[in-house]
């Protein structure tokens, strides 16, 4: 009898970490779904920038034109796909390059890349009511971004220096993350992750899908509250090393529930 009690006790004690772990996973799953607001099933379209089209060399009779995506966009899509596969097991992930989109983008949608290089990013920014209300001006080739929302504070960066290293890669970047109702389907959600360079786009994807959605510190908790609103817009400066994110700071944020403000 004593042996039975001991076995039962150890069984209960052993089950506690399993229950705690399961509860944590369920809580995280609900948190991510509440913030992204994607449908639990169906499709999510990820549209990457088309960097250029290239005919495969030495392909002979089977040479075909390939639509290529830049490195940073690939890093962003890896972060996005990891978050979706963990938290939306029933969703199908469909990837596109911006110059070869197959079918309508009328399900949940993620756009990667700036309006200079990804025409779908430019189109979404023109369609999003929150972004239009900001009187957003972007001149990415010259490193300029400004917001002059009527009744709100002005935000402006001129001549942003990405500080290229000897390897030709940026040491920092300026990026933005936007969330809103999908303008191609009012019942679905749209997300934009974009940087001044492709490495900024990669950092934007990592910041949103890995840090903001996954970390428990006060900064990420507050940003989750911002992003889960009907629409939101964040401007972030980040540090990079060999094209990878090393630190980040929110410079400006606004959502549909509050006035814009600086961090």
């Amino acid at each position: 009898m004593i042996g039975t009690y001991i076995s039962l006790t150890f069984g209960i004690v052993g089950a506690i970490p399993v229950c705690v772990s399961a509860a944590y996973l369920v809580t995280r799953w609900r948190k991510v779904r509440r913030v992204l607001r994607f449908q639990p099933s169906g499709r999510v379209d990820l549209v990457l920038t088309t960097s250029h089209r290239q005919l495969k060399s030495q392909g002979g009779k089977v040479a075909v034109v390939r639509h290529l995506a830049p490195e940073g966009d690939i890093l962003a899509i890896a972060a996005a796909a990891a978050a979706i596969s963990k938290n939306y097991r029933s969703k199908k992930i469909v990837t596109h390059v911006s110059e070869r989109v197959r079918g309508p983008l009328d399900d949940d949608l993620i756009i990667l890349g700036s309006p200079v290089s990804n025409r779908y990013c430019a189109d979404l920014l023109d369609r999003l009511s929150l972004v239009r209300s900001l009187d957003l001006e972007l001149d990415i080739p010259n490193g300029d971004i400004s917001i002059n929302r009527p009744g709100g504070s002005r935000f402006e960066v001129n001549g942003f220096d990405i500080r290229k290293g000897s390897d030709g890669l940026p040491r920092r970047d300026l990026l933005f993350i936007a969330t809103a109702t999908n303008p191609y389907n009012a019942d679905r959600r749209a997300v934009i992750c974009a940087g001044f360079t492709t490495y900024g786009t990669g950092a934007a994807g990592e910041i949103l899908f890995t840090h903001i959605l996954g970390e428990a510190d006060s900064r990420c908790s507050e940003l989750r509250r911002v992003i889960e609103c009907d629409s939101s817009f964040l401007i972030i400066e980040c540090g990079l090393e060999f094209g990878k994110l090393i630190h980040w700071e929110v410079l400006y944020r606004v959502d549909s529930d509050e006035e814009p403000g600086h961090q």
Side-chain angles (χ1 to χ4, degrees), residues 169-221:
L169 299 178
R171 292 294 179 263
R172 65 172 188 158
D173 209 331
L174 202 63
L175 56 97
F176 64 86
I177 296 170
T179 61
T181 298
N182 185 344
Y184 309 127
N185 181 349
D187 294 325
R188 296 295 185 269
R189 186 83 157 153
V191 175
I192 298 173
C193 293
F196 275 17
T197 76
T198 182
Y199 300 100
T201 296
E206 181 179 345
I207 289 168
L208 173 58
F209 293 105
T210 301
H211 297 288
I212 294 177
L213 292 183
E215 295 179 359
D217 61 85
S218 58
R219 173 174 65 166
C220 291
S221 296

Side-chain angles (χ1 to χ4, degrees), residues 124-173:
L124 249 69
L125 290 177
D126 287 341
R127 292 170 180 263
L128 300 183
S129 58
L130 177 63
V131 174
R132 290 200 305 269
S133 74
L134 297 176
D135 193 17
L136 174 69
E137 294 185 7
L138 277 170
D139 183 357
I140 289 176
N142 290 310
D144 298 341
I145 183 171
S146 67
I147 289 174
N148 190 20
R149 190 179 193 186
S153 58
R154 180 173 176 80
F155 174 85
E156 187 173 27
V157 173
N158 293 309
F160 184 82
D161 183 4
I162 62 173
R163 296 179 185 168
K164 282 186 182 179
S166 58
D167 55 7
L169 299 178
R171 292 294 179 263
R172 65 172 188 158
D173 209 331

Side-chain angles (χ1 to χ4, degrees), residues 246-258:
I246 55 174
H247 62 79
W248 56 283
E249 177 186 2
V250 177
L251 303 181
Y252 185 92
R253 74 182 194 199
V254 62
D255 63 62
S256 54
D257 289 352
E258 68 176 7

Side-chain angles (χ1 to χ4, degrees), residues 20-32:
V20 170
S21 178
Y24 168 77
L25 291 174
V26 170
T27 301
R28 185 186 67 180
W29 172 78
R30 288 177 176 171
K31 174 182 67 181
V32 171

